Amino acid sequence: CLSFSFFQCDNAKGLKAFYDAIKYGPNHLMVFGGVCATVTSIIAESLKGWNLVQLSFAATTPELADKKKYPYFFRTVPSDNAVNPAILKLLKHYHWKRVGTLTQDVQRFSEVRNDLTGVLYGEDIEISDTESFSNDPCTSVKKLKGNDVRIILGQFDEEMAVKVFCCAYDEEMYGSKYQWIIPGWYENLWWESWINSSQCLSKNLLAAMEGYIGVDFEPLSSKTNKTISGRTPQQYEKEYNAKRGDGQSSKFHGYAYDGIWVIARTLQRAMNYLNSTNKHQKIEDFNYTNHKLGKIFLNAMNETRFFGVTGEVVFRNGERMGTIKFTQFQEQKEVKVGEYNAVDDKLVIINNSIRFQGLEPPKDKTIIQEELRKISLPLYSILSALTILGMIMASAFLFFNIKNRNQKLIKMSSPYMNNLIILGGMLSYASIFLFGLDGSFVSEKTFETLCTVRTWILTVGYTTAFGAMFAKTWRVHAIFKNVKMKKKIIKDQKLLGIVGGMLLIDLCILICWQVVDPLRRTVEKYNMEPDPAGRDISIRPILEHCENTHMTIWLGIVYAYKGLLMLFGCFLAWETRNVSIPALNDSKYIGMSVYNVGIMCIIGAAVSFLTRDQPNVQFCIVALVIIFCSTITLCLVFVPKLITLRTNPDAATQNRRFQFTQNQKKEDSKTSTSVTSVNQASTSRLEGLQSENHRLRMKITELDKDLEEVTMQLQDTPEKTTYIKQNHYQDLNDILSIRNFTDSKDGEKAILKNHLDQNPPAQWGSSDPSRTSKDPIEDINSPEHIQRRLSLQLPILHHAYLPSIGGVDASCASPCVSPSASPRHRHVPPSFRVMVSGL
């Protein structure tokens, strides 16, 4: 016997109808029904006292799953919580391990969320953010985005769903990077009923909704097996639609149909049990106080199992283990894409019908892929090729310097120092190869070692090149600024010591740096960037640096030392700017080199600091600065020497103001001549002697005029001897005492040749009384003697000194005296010394 009661979800009416049926109706074996959750829960809570089993086909509220409170309640429809195991399976299928929840503040949805939290707990799936809202979901949606939630599990009704997707559109939380999973029990075209209550356009709402996945129980099984009624689910649906006609369809009709079969199978199972155990008791004997029969009905229903139109009908603690379906919103309609069988705990995706808006399923969070910003291989190859060309050029200069080391031009420019300059340039070139090696070429440990090695090589190379250049400039400065004009010998060993001292300072700084605060590999992370290939990932650029704790202090020490070295070089170049021997004076080229290197280093350091986040630009700037500085320095030092050696090698070793001449030996010379030459070892004194030579030549010219005047007077009258003795004696002695010196190769030994008469000049004014009294004619100061000496000595004087001021060639014969006239006038062989022949 069946009795029907309709109370329209009114708790009072429902409870009264139940008590009326108990009091006034026949004994009921079971209660079938209960659609509204509130009424059903009230009735189910009171069934224990009446020994009645209740079976619902539409009450999905999770609250009824509490068996301590509702021990006699069963339902053929899965609970709202039944979707949570299915959601867990879907999350695992797509490897989503980080989710967020967005829940409407309603008990039904809160219970589902709480149960979901329990299901996901211990399954290695993180609920990174849990948000709830009452009326306006936009704030919660914005928080989800701020927490980088990409997989959103929503629990809300249709009205709130429209608002949620409008907020998602405004926050751009849709598309290929996001996946929404919401309840799937909404009515067909549910959004059309609520679109007017929102503030977003229909196209925007549909754009945000595109691709969401709905989760709900399956109203009818999709299998083609015959059910307990002998019909397939498809046949049942066809017959149901035919009988209902134009009436409204309910998604619970299949569960109601299977519910009837559950009651029938339960009663049949109970009858079979009673027949097998107690032949005298029947189900008709049931009453509300018969707890034994009540337990038999309860156990029989819990053990019921068959295949119905809604799938496999199985109860577990009173809960239906049903089938959950997945639908996806595709092109403004919901399409079934998969189902989950709770009995087998198996998820089936229908022919990969889920269509994601990206090339792949969305990531559960922003996948941050660290990407090392490395130096481009083509750029490294190009700059390495330029570096190799520079090293080849340096090797060519080295070969040129070694091959021509005995040439006067190269020898005067200190070939050993030139070799050090080339070595420093090649070390600087070599550092470029190390600056271009980063994490894409070497390991982290090797990179950290390279940080130190390349710093040492560049520092030592710089000091070696410029230290050698400044050392040889200092030698020129020390010689030509020697005020006392003393002999000063500065050998290459001393210059090497100076360069070694500079390198020793470098080594002290570098060793202290390495011991106290060594360079380490550090990684700098930059802001995330979108993937250029369009993948659902973000690129976080990272860049390797060589740094330490007090990087600024150490760099300041190195820069200060190098700056002082450059200033010292500028000072030496300025001080030696007037040295007019090209082979010795590199001041102009040093100034040009220091200027170019200084400017390029300042610009390079500034640009390199500003482009530290762009390794290609930074490496290009650093490499080009090193290449330019090394190349310009080597070219300024060696190219002028190369050109001079090929065109006019002798010009570079001569003084530009006064060209020393060397007269070849002539055996038929009638007078002695002085030979002037510059020895390579004496070049250090040339500058100081120039001004003195010029002054003496001017005095020689004046005295020569006086001598000519004296000669004319003596030819006119011998009585003018007294005038000569008194007025021209001192001038004549000045001529006879003029000396010029130069240093020789073996110790700068000065040679003085005196062709004066055997009687010293100091005796000219004295007389021998004995001889005067005996023979006045033989008096040495007599006019006859003076006339004879002047006629012999004046031509010699002309031939000895006039060539130096542009007069008679020293090689011409004297018209007055033969070379063999006196042994004191023997021909002096030419040599590389300054020699003065006296009268």
Side-chain angles (χ1 to χ4, degrees):
C1 177
L2 296 176
S3 62
F4 298 93
S5 298
F6 299 97
F7 33 81
Q8 299 176 350
C9 295
D10 188 298
N11 294 344
K13 292 181 180 180
L15 190 59
K16 182 178 183 303
F18 173 72
Y19 280 111
D20 288 345
I22 295 295
K23 183 177 181 180
Y24 301 110
N27 289 336
H28 297 85
L29 300 178
M30 294 180 185
V31 177
F32 181 64
V35 177
C36 298
T38 55
V39 178
T40 303
S41 61
I42 292 175
I43 295 175
E45 190 174 1
S46 62
L47 290 178
K48 185 177 179 180
W50 305 99
N51 290 320
L52 287 174
V53 175
Q54 182 181 7
L55 178 65
S56 174
F57 59 88
T60 61
T61 177
E63 181 186 4
L64 296 172
D66 186 0
K67 287 305 160 184
K68 292 182 179 180
K69 190 175 183 180
Y70 311 104
Y72 285 83
F73 179 79
F74 289 81
R75 50 187 166 190
T76 57
V77 62
S79 165
D80 289 338
N81 288 343
V83 301
N84 291 334
I87 292 175
L88 172 63
K89 204 70 175 180
L90 182 68
L91 296 177
K92 289 184 175 181
H93 179 76
Y94 289 107
H95 307 287
W96 290 328
K97 296 183 178 182
R98 186 174 182 272
V99 299
T101 61
L102 181 63
T103 309
Q104 184 179 354
D105 283 336
V106 176
Q107 182 180 1
R108 174 185 179 183
F109 301 124
S110 299
E111 289 176 350
V112 175
R113 181 198 59 195
N114 295 337
D115 181 74
L116 177 63
T117 302
V119 171
L120 298 182
Y121 180 78
E123 295 292 340
D124 195 25
I125 295 178
E126 173 193 359
I127 300 180
S128 59
D129 192 13
T130 299
E131 297 294 334
S132 60
F133 64 94
S134 297
N135 187 39
D136 183 11
C138 290
T139 302
S140 299
V141 171
K142 186 179 295 185
K143 289 181 179 179
L144 289 173
K145 183 179 180 179
N147 290 325
D148 192 32
V149 176
R150 310 285 290 278
I151 310 300
I152 304 100
L153 308 179
Q155 287 292 330
F156 33 76
D157 57 25
E158 296 98 322
E159 180 182 5
M160 291 295 107
V162 173
K163 295 182 179 181
V164 167
F165 283 112
C166 285
C167 296
Y169 180 84
D170 295 337
E171 297 294 332
E172 298 183 350
M173 289 184 65
Y174 65 95
S176 60
K177 295 183 179 180
Y178 295 90
Q179 182 60 60
W180 289 84
I181 301 175
I182 63 175
W185 44 260
Y186 300 161
E187 296 292 335
N188 191 29
L189 302 176
W190 55 270
W191 61 90
E192 294 182 353
S193 303
W194 304 99
I195 184 64
N196 294 329
S197 62
S198 66
Q199 297 181 353
C200 65
L201 300 176
S202 177
K203 63 177 183 179
N204 297 341
L205 176 63
L206 294 174
M209 291 168 53
E210 184 67 24
Y212 79 76
I213 295 176
V215 187
D216 193 17
F217 54 82
E218 181 74 271
L220 291 174
S221 175
S222 59
K223 296 181 179 180
T224 58
N225 300 341
K226 286 187 177 182
T227 64
I228 191 172
S229 64
R231 303 179 182 90
T232 64
Q234 292 76 23
Q235 291 172 342
Y236 162 79
E237 183 179 21
K238 184 178 180 180
E239 185 177 350
Y240 170 77
N241 290 331
K243 289 183 177 181
R244 74 179 176 87
D246 296 332
Q248 186 177 2
S249 174
S250 172
K251 65 177 182 178
F252 297 107
H253 64 85
Y255 292 98
Y257 181 77
D258 283 343
I260 299 298
W261 280 101
V262 168
I263 293 175
R265 290 299 299 269
T266 299
L267 293 176
Q268 184 182 10
R269 194 176 187 87
M271 288 174 21
N272 293 337
Y273 177 79
L274 291 174
N275 292 333
S276 63
T277 57
N278 190 353
K279 298 181 180 179
H280 303 287
Q281 192 173 14
K282 300 179 182 179
I283 60 174
E284 291 86 351
D285 299 333
F286 173 78
N287 58 57
Y288 300 130
T289 60
N290 192 340
H291 296 284
K292 185 176 181 180
L293 274 178
K295 280 289 184 180
I296 291 174
F297 292 155
L298 181 64
N299 293 333
M301 183 172 287
N302 201 35
E303 295 174 357
T304 299
R305 181 171 185 172
F306 62 88
F307 182 76
V309 295
T310 57
E312 192 75 19
V313 179
V314 180
F315 296 103
R316 184 176 298 170
N317 293 327
E319 293 296 309
R320 167 73 186 273
M321 304 298 293
T323 301
I324 305 300
K325 71 171 181 177
F326 293 94
T327 59
Q328 187 178 36
F329 190 76
Q330 299 176 1
E331 298 177 355
Q332 302 184 23
K333 63 180 179 180
E334 291 185 341
V335 179
K336 183 179 178 180
V337 294
E339 63 180 28
Y340 168 74
N341 190 330
V343 178
D344 300 330
D345 190 25
K346 183 178 181 181
L347 174 67
V348 178
I349 302 299
I350 303 173
N351 298 325
N352 296 322
S353 56
I354 294 183
R355 294 186 345 202
F356 298 105
Q357 299 186 52
L359 300 176
E360 57 185 356
K363 306 298 181 182
D364 57 4
K365 60 181 178 181
T366 300
I367 302 300
I368 301 175
Q369 180 175 331
E370 292 186 346
E371 185 177 274
L372 177 65
R373 285 185 174 177
K374 54 187 179 181
I375 295 173
S376 171
L377 183 58
L379 176 64
Y380 181 74
S381 302
I382 293 173
L383 293 176
S384 297
L386 292 176
T387 303
I388 292 173
L389 291 177
M391 298 184 76
I392 293 174
M393 179 196 69
S395 301
F397 287 150
L398 181 62
F399 174 77
F400 164 78
N401 191 68
I402 295 176
K403 181 181 179 182
N404 299 281
R405 64 185 181 277
N406 293 324
Q407 292 285 343
K408 184 182 298 184
L409 173 65
I410 302 302
K411 201 165 186 178
M412 293 177 68
S413 66
S414 302
Y416 292 113
M417 294 297 102
N418 293 342
N419 291 341
L420 288 181
I421 294 174
I422 296 172
L423 176 62
M426 295 187 75
L427 288 176
S428 299
Y429 281 130
S431 66
I432 296 176
F433 297 110
L434 303 182
F435 276 105
L437 296 177
D438 54 16
S440 60
F441 296 100
V442 297
S443 63
E444 294 182 4
K445 185 176 181 180
T446 306
F447 180 82
E448 192 166 291
T449 304
L450 289 177
C451 289
T452 302
V453 173
R454 69 191 189 186
T455 303
W456 282 56
I457 290 179
L458 182 60
T459 304
V460 171
Y462 176 92
T463 303
T464 302
F466 283 92
M469 186 186 302
F470 298 156
K472 70 175 191 175
T473 306
W474 170 81
R475 177 162 64 180
V476 176
H477 173 268
I479 292 173
F480 285 94
K481 294 302 178 179
N482 184 16
V483 178
K484 297 182 179 180
M485 291 303 298
K486 293 182 179 180
K487 181 175 69 175
K488 194 167 188 178
I489 301 176
I490 302 177
K491 297 183 179 181
D492 287 345
Q493 287 80 357
K494 189 170 184 179
L495 301 185
L496 291 174
I498 294 175
V499 177
M502 295 179 182
L503 290 175
L504 184 61
I505 296 175
D506 265 338
L507 291 178
C508 291
I509 295 175
L510 292 174
I511 291 174
C512 292
W513 189 348
Q514 183 65 24
V515 173
V516 177
D517 193 12
L519 289 171
R520 303 292 185 185
R521 174 185 178 270
T522 60
V523 176
E524 183 177 3
K525 297 182 179 181
Y526 295 89
N527 295 330
M528 292 184 294
E529 301 174 353
D531 180 44
R535 297 174 297 173
D536 186 19
I537 61 175
S538 293
I539 304 298
R540 183 186 293 279
I542 63 174
L543 190 59
E544 295 175 312
H545 294 295
C546 293
E547 293 181 347
N548 53 14
T549 306
H550 305 288
M551 190 71 174
T552 305
I553 296 176
W554 292 109
L555 288 179
I557 294 173
V558 173
Y559 290 158
Y561 172 55
K562 302 302 179 185
L564 291 175
L565 188 62
M566 297 287 280
L567 291 176
F568 177 66
C570 292
F571 167 76
L572 293 177
W574 175 259
E575 287 292 308
T576 59
R577 67 190 185 280
N578 293 324
V579 177
S580 57
I581 302 175
L584 296 176
N585 187 14
D586 289 333
S587 61
K588 179 176 69 174
Y589 303 123
I590 292 175
M592 294 173 62
S593 178
V594 170
Y595 174 78
N596 285 284
V597 171
I599 294 298
M600 290 302 297
C601 288
I602 293 174
I603 295 176
V607 175
S608 176
F609 177 78
L610 295 176
T611 59
R612 58 181 285 123
D613 59 335
Q614 303 177 41
N616 284 322
V617 177
Q618 187 182 43
F619 172 64
C620 183
I621 294 297
V622 171
L624 290 179
V625 167
I626 294 175
I627 291 174
F628 176 82
C629 294
S630 301
T631 303
I632 199 68
T633 300
L634 293 175
C635 289
L636 287 174
V637 172
F638 291 99
V639 170
K641 292 178 174 55
L642 181 63
I643 296 174
T644 303
L645 192 63
R646 296 298 181 187
T647 56
N648 188 11
D650 295 331
T653 62
Q654 297 176 348
N655 193 305
R656 292 193 185 105
R657 297 176 182 175
F658 176 70
Q659 300 291 338
F660 294 92
T661 59
Q662 176 183 351
N663 297 318
Q664 299 294 331
K665 178 180 179 180
K666 293 186 179 181
E667 296 179 356
D668 57 348
S669 176
K670 295 182 180 179
T671 61
S672 63
T673 60
S674 64
V675 181
T676 306
S677 176
V678 178
N679 185 276
Q680 181 177 352
S682 64
T683 55
S684 60
R685 301 188 61 193
L686 292 179
E687 181 70 16
L689 296 174
Q690 290 174 10
S691 57
E692 183 68 18
N693 277 337
H694 181 71
R695 185 183 65 79
L696 293 176
R697 281 183 288 159
M698 295 300 297
K699 189 170 183 179
I700 288 173
T701 304
E702 295 175 359
L703 294 178
D704 185 58
K705 293 180 180 180
D706 293 340
L707 287 174
E708 289 180 359
E709 182 181 352
V710 169
T711 302
M712 295 299 297
Q713 292 174 355
L714 290 175
Q715 289 177 354
D716 293 339
T717 171
E719 285 78 7
K720 297 182 179 181
T721 303
T722 306
Y723 172 80
I724 296 173
K725 291 172 61 178
Q726 295 177 356
N727 297 292
H728 296 281
Y729 176 75
Q730 184 62 38
D731 292 340
L732 184 59
N733 279 337
D734 289 341
I735 298 175
L736 299 179
S737 61
I738 292 175
R739 294 177 299 173
N740 199 350
F741 297 92
T742 183
D743 297 327
S744 62
K745 296 181 181 179
D746 56 355
E748 302 179 356
K749 181 178 180 181
I751 300 177
L752 178 63
K753 292 296 185 176
N754 187 3
H755 292 281
L756 295 172
D757 294 328
Q758 294 181 354
N759 296 322
Q763 296 175 355
W764 285 21
S766 64
S767 61
D768 189 350
S770 60
R771 294 191 62 174
T772 304
S773 60
K774 293 181 181 181
D775 191 0
I777 301 176
E778 294 182 359
D779 190 345
I780 193 172
N781 293 323
S782 64
E784 292 80 3
H785 281 81
I786 292 175
Q787 178 69 25
R788 186 172 68 250
R789 285 201 302 273
L790 289 177
S791 63
L792 176 63
Q793 293 169 351
L794 284 178
I796 296 175
L797 183 63
H798 277 275
H799 285 279
Y801 293 97
L802 288 183
S804 301
I805 58 173
V808 180
D809 194 303
S811 62
C812 67
S814 175
C816 303
V817 182
S818 171
S820 59
S822 173
R824 294 173 295 182
H825 301 151
R826 290 191 302 269
H827 181 77
V828 180
S831 64
F832 293 94
R833 299 177 182 176
V834 177
M835 182 173 66
V836 179
S837 297
L839 294 178

